[in-house]
Amino acid sequence: MENVNVPELFGSLVFDERVMRQRLSDEVFASLKKTIDENVKLDENVADAVAEEMKNWALENGATHFTHWFQPLTGVTAEKHDSFITPSPDGGVIMEFSGKELIKGEPDASSFPSGGLRATFEARGYTAWDPTSFAFIKDRTLCIPTAFCSYSGEALDKKTPLLRSMQAINRQAMRILKLFGTDCKYVKTSVGPEQEYFLIDKEVFEKRPDLKYTGRTLFGAMPPKGQEMDDHYFGVIKPRVQEFMADLNKELWKLGILAKTEHNEVAPAQHELAPIYSTTNIATDSNQLTMEIMKKVASAHGMVCLLHEKPFAGVNGSGKHNNWSLGTDTGINLLSPGETPYENAQFLLFLCAVIQAVDDYQDLLRLSVATAGNDHRLGADEAPPAIISVFLGDELTAILDAIKNDTPYQGREEVKMKLGVHALPRFSRDTTDRNRTSPFAFTGNKFEFRSLGSSNSIACSNIMLNAAVAESLRQYADELEKADNFEDALHDLIKRVIKEHERILFDGNGYGEEWVKEATEVRGLSNLKTTADAMPKLLDKKNMDMLMAHKIFTEAEVHSRCEIMLENYVKTVNIEGLTMVDMVRKNYLPAMERYLYRLSQTTVLMRQVSDKVKCNYEVSTMERLSELTDDILEAVKRLEVALVEVKEQGDIFKTSEYIRDEMLPRMDALRKCVDEAEMLTSQRDWPFPSYGQLLFSVN
């Protein structure tokens, strides 16, 4: 096996701080560092110097082109490559790259989603260098992370509002820290997104049109064995998968992506990769790259990486756990309770800010993870429910109760775990258990938002989370800055927030029906089950007012996001419906007809041999398959009607509701009939690989 020098390999294709410190003058480096750390305006002369050294470094590492790498509202990344070549007077070429080219690009913006921000014929758009995220080399191309906006300045991407949200939370957090006398220059959010995915054999994948067109199986009966034995989770990694993971790590490490943990997940063929924390902006860029590279490396190993939230019915889907924290440039984690959290007023205030944010803007957090794919996953046994709640654990819950009731906090004794074997070490138990049914759980010094879907950019969730917490902090700063007695006002504020927002705190089983009833009927929490339910909440006045007040979005940008996400939902399900009709008409019904013909021929021949032959199997199978053929025909006709009617609904809100209320139930009904037919039809006659062949295809 090839030896890998990880420290030498790590970041070798990144124009990071180490490279900049070596190649840039002290003056240029100091100026650029100030721009990165303190969000001050970039000096154009600095840009020229950086561009020259960035070009030289890229050429030395084999790059021939550069691109402004951006994240449009499609949810994936985009890039337009330009070579470094410039013609020289002698007929040759020279390699040039200016500060102007570094700072600004001009891709065609007409074909990217804009949600009505611009007409289709208005093609001009701009990309602007984001110096807070390091440039890198991918496929012999220098990739420069950039923001993307329209000719009139509206954000057409996910990076711009994310950077705005980070700026907003920094501004409000700094006001709070000033009151506590905490010395620092800035506050940044950090994220570590755990990424779940499936690996299946490429040859089998190519035989499934539904996987190719939609990323998920639209049909498929469960195999005799699924995940019920719990033998795949954390099990021994298969050699072929291990080789994939080894190559994936190398490619990620080259790009400075902090790939740390890898293991088998619960479902067969499912796995997980977890990185170390990094600043939210960089973590978002890194996660987009991670998903791209996963697919590329899998293909090189004869496999396909599936990132759909629910590629297989009946087994766990894939999510993305967004581990979110808040810290200062001096290394203080503002969500770390310390040794005595009851006495740590600064921690308690930031904790309250998050609790209030989740309660006040639970609808924003829910819609930030809303997609057609994730609708199939949320609420199932492997994912948190659509109801947003906060899990704190026993100790923090007891502390907040003591503050709320003005009673002394008794503290907790450190519990030493004894395992009954003398040779095994004793260790301290954590102050809180983990609650896998909670969508938003405190896990020691961070919050884990577990509702994100596997294929989605983490930008949306972090935009909403940053903005909501910034709003809580703004309210606190406004109140405390006016207080005559800071300590008294702080105590009263924390106590009041706990009382007003305790409804969002829940440490129990989020899967239970009793919780749904309690959450909605007693506590008044929202239960937005689908994208069609959740996305319109973006336009609620309280949400728009908050997002606009913190300059995360303009009014036009808010409306555009709502329209784009609902359009994506409608188009996704429409493609799935068309794929189902295509597979049923061209493959499933003809296959069932062929099998029925063979059964009928067999029955006739058997009875010719002897009139005592009962042919029970053949006759009973033919009778049920014939019924199913009729049922499938009727079901596919009903779906075809829905595919026509969905185009006649008018606005995007009515269309998404029609998808939810009419299209999806008809798709489910069709699938149910086809899946039963699969269990009655011979494998030889069935046109596509089964679930068993898909889930257990990688040996």
Side-chain angles (χ1 to χ4, degrees):
M1 183 177 288
E2 177 189 357
N3 290 324
V4 179
N5 186 330
V6 178
E8 184 177 304
L9 183 70
F10 189 83
S12 57
L13 295 181
V14 184
F15 194 74
D16 58 18
E17 231 176 82
R18 298 172 301 175
V19 178
M20 289 189 283
R21 196 183 295 274
Q22 291 175 357
R23 304 187 76 113
L24 301 176
S25 70
D26 292 343
E27 183 182 357
V28 169
F29 177 77
S31 178
L32 181 60
K33 191 79 168 66
K34 191 175 181 67
T35 296
I36 294 171
D37 290 342
E38 301 178 34
N39 198 30
V40 299
K41 188 175 180 180
L42 181 72
D43 186 324
E44 289 190 14
N45 293 325
V46 167
D48 282 328
V50 173
E52 179 65 19
E53 287 307 319
M54 194 181 283
K55 177 205 71 177
N56 292 337
W57 170 81
L59 293 174
E60 290 167 15
N61 282 277
T64 57
H65 289 67
F66 69 92
T67 182
H68 275 196
W69 184 80
F70 59 101
Q71 299 170 41
L73 296 172
T74 55
V76 295
T77 58
E79 49 196 67
K80 181 188 76 171
H81 297 185
D82 287 297
S83 71
F84 289 114
I85 65 171
T86 299
S88 62
D90 61 1
V93 295
I94 56 175
M95 308 300 270
E96 289 189 346
F97 183 55
S98 67
K100 183 179 178 181
E101 290 173 304
L102 170 62
I103 290 174
K104 190 186 84 170
E106 191 179 326
D108 187 337
S110 63
S111 297
F112 291 108
S114 71
L117 285 175
R118 55 193 288 106
T120 304
F121 63 83
E122 296 174 327
R124 194 181 297 278
Y126 297 113
T127 48
W129 177 37
D130 170 20
T132 66
S133 187
F134 300 130
F136 56 90
I137 295 173
K138 177 172 68 75
D139 299 329
R140 302 176 69 85
T141 301
L142 173 66
C143 298
I144 303 156
T146 56
F148 178 45
C149 67
S150 70
Y151 179 70
S152 49
E154 295 97 348
L156 295 175
D157 66 341
K158 295 178 182 289
K159 178 183 280 285
T160 302
L162 179 63
L163 292 171
R164 291 171 181 169
S165 75
M166 294 172 67
Q167 192 168 281
I169 200 170
N170 170 64
R171 183 165 52 245
Q172 303 305 330
M174 288 297 289
R175 293 175 65 193
I176 296 294
L177 293 178
K178 183 178 179 181
L179 292 168
F180 280 97
T182 302
D183 185 31
C184 62
K185 292 181 180 178
Y186 57 85
V187 171
K188 285 187 178 179
T189 55
S190 297
V191 172
E194 303 168 30
Q195 178 72 56
E196 295 175 344
Y197 60 97
F198 281 81
L199 288 175
I200 63 172
D201 189 85
K202 187 189 294 187
E203 186 177 341
V204 182
F205 168 86
E206 291 292 340
K207 297 175 181 177
R208 290 287 308 215
D210 46 1
L211 279 175
K212 291 172 70 174
Y213 295 146
T214 74
R216 76 179 181 104
T217 51
L218 302 172
F219 302 98
M222 280 299 294
K225 182 180 185 293
Q227 64 187 49
E228 62 274 11
M229 296 300 293
D230 299 321
D231 54 347
H232 191 256
Y233 189 53
F234 279 25
V236 176
I237 300 172
K238 295 175 180 176
R240 191 174 172 192
V241 175
Q242 185 66 68
E243 290 173 4
F244 157 82
M245 288 179 171
D247 284 350
L248 175 63
N249 285 332
K250 285 188 287 186
E251 295 305 313
L252 294 178
W253 290 337
K254 288 178 188 176
L255 293 171
I257 296 173
L258 295 160
K260 174 74 172 177
T261 304
E262 58 194 27
H263 61 84
N264 290 346
E265 257 299 334
V266 175
Q270 189 184 32
H271 313 278
E272 181 177 298
L273 169 72
I276 299 172
Y277 285 82
S278 52
T279 305
T280 304
N281 178 36
I282 294 174
T284 302
D285 289 354
S286 294
N287 186 250
Q288 292 294 117
L289 278 171
T290 297
M291 292 189 287
E292 176 188 336
I293 294 167
M294 278 179 167
K295 293 179 179 180
K296 188 179 297 183
V297 174
S299 181
H301 285 263
M303 296 183 289
V304 173
C305 175
L306 301 178
L307 292 173
H308 193 284
E309 286 71 29
K310 197 75 173 177
F312 303 102
V315 298
N316 282 11
S318 294
K320 185 142 49 186
H321 300 172
N322 191 82
N323 294 283
W324 181 91
S325 193
L326 193 63
T328 70
D329 62 295
T330 57
I332 300 172
N333 184 333
L334 298 173
L335 293 179
S336 179
E339 294 297 320
T340 55
Y342 183 68
E343 299 171 357
N344 187 345
Q346 181 173 284
F347 159 73
L348 288 172
L349 188 62
F350 278 97
L351 176 68
C352 285
V354 177
I355 292 170
Q356 179 178 334
V358 176
D359 189 18
D360 286 347
Y361 297 101
Q362 53 189 278
D363 49 358
L364 283 183
L365 292 180
R366 171 62 184 92
L367 67 87
S368 75
V369 301
T371 63
N374 214 20
D375 283 356
H376 295 291
R377 171 181 164 267
L378 288 181
D381 285 347
E382 82 281 7
I387 300 168
I388 302 294
S389 63
V390 176
F391 169 83
L392 292 181
D394 295 340
E395 183 176 24
L396 285 183
T397 299
I399 289 171
L400 297 191
D401 285 342
I403 294 172
K404 179 185 72 173
N405 298 317
D406 277 329
T407 56
Y409 173 61
Q410 301 300 322
R412 66 182 289 279
E413 294 183 8
E414 186 180 76
V415 178
K416 289 288 186 180
M417 302 293 284
K418 301 176 182 179
L419 301 181
V421 179
H422 295 306
L424 296 179
R426 295 185 181 184
F427 56 91
S428 298
R429 189 176 71 184
D430 288 328
T431 59
T432 176
D433 198 354
R434 296 186 68 187
N435 188 333
R436 63 190 296 269
T437 73
S438 174
F440 202 88
F442 186 74
T443 55
N445 59 3
K446 63 187 185 300
F447 278 94
E448 183 181 33
F449 188 20
R450 301 182 66 252
S451 300
L452 285 73
S454 173
S455 65
N456 293 129
S457 166
I458 65 172
C460 298
S461 295
N462 287 291
I463 290 167
M464 298 308 179
L465 182 54
N466 289 348
V469 174
E471 173 59 18
S472 297
L473 294 173
R474 181 199 65 78
Q475 294 177 22
Y476 300 169
D478 287 351
E479 181 174 337
L480 293 173
E481 285 169 353
K482 299 173 185 175
D484 294 328
N485 186 308
F486 174 70
E487 290 189 3
D488 288 347
L490 178 62
H491 175 269
D492 292 344
L493 172 60
I494 291 174
K495 181 178 177 180
R496 187 181 75 242
V497 170
I498 294 168
K499 285 185 175 182
E500 291 178 353
H501 298 282
E502 63 181 340
R503 68 171 186 163
I504 202 72
L505 303 178
F506 179 65
D507 287 3
N509 178 16
Y511 292 160
E513 282 298 319
E514 61 276 8
W515 164 237
V516 176
K517 187 173 182 180
E518 178 188 337
T520 56
E521 297 179 14
V522 179
R523 302 193 183 203
L525 302 180
S526 60
N527 185 14
L528 305 170
K529 295 182 179 180
T530 71
T531 299
D533 299 315
M535 199 53 62
K537 297 293 182 182
L538 181 59
L539 303 184
D540 284 1
K541 186 177 185 304
K542 75 172 180 70
N543 295 333
M544 290 189 64
D545 286 349
M546 184 274 286
L547 292 168
M548 291 163 60
H550 289 282
K551 301 185 181 343
I552 312 300
F553 296 112
T554 65
E555 182 176 356
E557 288 169 349
V558 174
H559 281 278
S560 74
R561 266 63 182 177
C562 183
E563 183 173 329
I564 288 168
M565 295 309 295
L566 285 175
E567 279 186 351
N568 182 274
Y569 172 73
V570 168
K571 290 176 180 178
T572 297
V573 180
N574 195 65
I575 291 170
E576 291 177 349
L578 290 169
T579 302
M580 292 185 87
V581 169
D582 190 71
M583 292 174 72
V584 167
R585 289 283 192 186
K586 294 180 179 178
N587 301 103
Y588 285 125
L589 285 175
M592 293 168 66
E593 185 181 45
R594 285 193 299 272
Y595 187 53
L596 281 167
Y597 176 77
R598 287 207 301 117
L599 284 175
S600 64
Q601 291 292 96
T602 300
T603 303
V604 170
L605 291 173
M606 290 173 68
R607 284 177 171 168
Q608 286 177 354
V609 172
S610 170
D611 57 7
K612 294 181 180 180
V613 176
K614 296 181 179 180
C615 300
N616 288 338
Y617 161 70
E618 290 79 9
V619 172
S620 63
T621 301
M622 282 191 292
E623 288 175 348
R624 182 56 188 146
L625 269 182
S626 179
E627 290 174 358
L628 283 172
T629 302
D630 293 339
D631 292 344
I632 290 170
L633 180 61
E634 288 305 309
V636 80
K637 285 180 178 178
R638 292 187 72 242
L639 179 55
E640 288 168 332
V641 170
L643 286 164
V644 173
E645 291 180 347
V646 75
K647 300 175 183 177
E648 303 168 353
Q649 296 307 304
D651 66 44
I652 195 64
F653 299 99
K654 290 179 181 177
T655 306
S656 63
E657 290 167 1
Y658 184 86
I659 288 281
R660 176 195 65 199
D661 299 334
E662 294 293 334
M663 180 89 80
L664 287 169
R666 296 185 195 190
M667 290 166 63
D668 290 341
L670 176 57
R671 174 175 187 152
K672 184 178 179 181
C673 294
V674 173
D675 288 356
E676 183 182 346
E678 180 181 354
M679 299 302 294
L680 296 174
T681 306
S682 75
Q683 184 173 317
R684 189 185 91 177
D685 290 279
W686 202 244
F688 304 115
S690 67
Y691 260 30
Q693 291 168 299
L694 289 166
L695 288 168
F696 299 95
S697 62
V698 177
N699 298 314

